[in-house]
Amino acid sequence: MLAIFADTIVALHVSYAIRATRSVPATSMRNVLRTIMESAEMMNRQQMDWLERLIGRPSRLVDFGGLSQSEVHAQAVMITEAVRRRLPEHESYVLMARFARDIDKCAGVYGVADHLLASGSPVTHREAITDLVWRRYLPREYQGGFSLRDIEGRTRVSKSSLGRAARWLDDECDEVELSALHHLEDMFVEQGVVRYTVMEPA
């Protein structure tokens, strides 16, 4: 059996998008992806463009061929539950912040903020760090109110301090994300869910 997803990043993007929809009314990849685009409010333009390129065309990234509606949904549940249950807590939070939507994304953001505050954050103001995490993980079109100047105005933490904290935060989150992706892909490759590792081209 061929793997459904090209790699773990694709698996997470698509699975969280499927979980964000109320239902998936058709079994074909074309209709599944169309439903995702129409229903997932938090999808950014880049993700929508990527999915639009998949609709109606053979894809090396996603193959739902032969799967029923319930099987597609079950795959999405399996992947998102692996994030919640099979990773260290801080790795779960960072992937939820990056890929999830709605309440799961909120839980991820606040979990990442708590982890950063406990990991030597150069800024210890909780609201400021939480805002910086939102700034990193919100799609660009939803980032109004999260500029460094906006955060400075709300928290009274200087813009220069916020800038240093944002750079530190990016380095920390990049490292945790990569570790989490590698932990997941060890499982997913073994289970035949994905074809490639994060560092290999699809």
Side-chain angles (χ1 to χ4, degrees):
M1 177 179 175
L2 292 177
I4 297 171
F5 302 102
D7 60 39
T8 302
I9 291 174
V10 172
L12 290 168
H13 271 303
V14 174
S15 295
Y16 275 109
I18 290 172
R19 293 294 304 273
T21 63
R22 291 186 179 87
S23 64
V24 179
T27 60
S28 70
M29 183 175 71
R30 176 187 179 91
N31 288 326
V32 168
L33 296 180
R34 186 181 300 280
T35 299
I36 290 169
M37 286 193 297
E38 291 174 350
S39 303
E41 295 179 359
M42 293 296 292
M43 182 166 291
N44 62 36
R45 183 66 253 172
Q46 181 180 5
Q47 292 165 346
M48 290 185 69
D49 289 344
W50 170 70
L51 288 174
E52 284 170 351
R53 289 196 298 272
L54 294 182
I55 288 180
R57 304 179 187 181
S59 173
R60 295 185 303 161
L61 298 181
V62 183
D63 182 6
F64 290 141
L67 295 183
S68 68
Q69 173 184 338
S70 61
E71 288 169 334
V72 169
H73 188 264
Q75 285 293 327
V77 170
M78 183 274 290
I79 287 166
T80 56
E81 285 301 297
V83 173
R84 295 174 64 92
R85 301 178 185 276
R86 303 292 295 276
L87 295 174
E89 189 174 59
H90 66 295
E91 292 187 0
S92 296
Y93 285 140
V94 81
L95 292 188
M96 289 164 64
R98 178 174 174 185
F99 295 104
R101 293 172 171 79
D102 303 326
I103 191 169
D104 284 340
K105 192 175 194 74
C106 290
V109 166
Y110 286 105
V112 170
D114 286 342
H115 170 70
L116 294 172
L117 287 167
S119 301
S121 170
V123 167
T124 58
H125 191 292
R126 181 175 296 276
E127 182 182 355
I129 287 297
T130 303
D131 279 357
L132 289 175
V133 178
W134 278 117
R135 182 174 180 266
R136 172 181 170 90
Y137 287 113
L138 277 176
R140 186 172 300 278
E141 61 266 32
Y142 293 96
Q143 287 184 4
F146 286 98
S147 70
L148 295 183
R149 186 177 300 279
D150 291 330
I151 298 171
E152 179 185 42
R154 284 194 297 273
T155 65
R156 305 303 180 191
V157 178
S158 72
K159 186 177 175 181
S160 60
S161 295
L162 291 170
R164 287 192 295 272
R167 291 189 292 274
W168 174 85
L169 179 156
D170 284 340
D171 289 342
E172 290 290 311
C173 289
D174 285 347
E175 182 177 347
V176 176
E177 283 183 28
L178 188 59
S179 175
L181 289 170
H182 282 311
H183 285 152
L184 282 181
E185 73 185 10
D186 287 343
M187 292 182 279
F188 291 167
V189 170
E190 181 179 354
Q191 295 167 357
V193 176
V194 303
R195 296 191 294 275
Y196 302 103
T197 67
V198 173
M199 302 305 292
E200 293 176 350

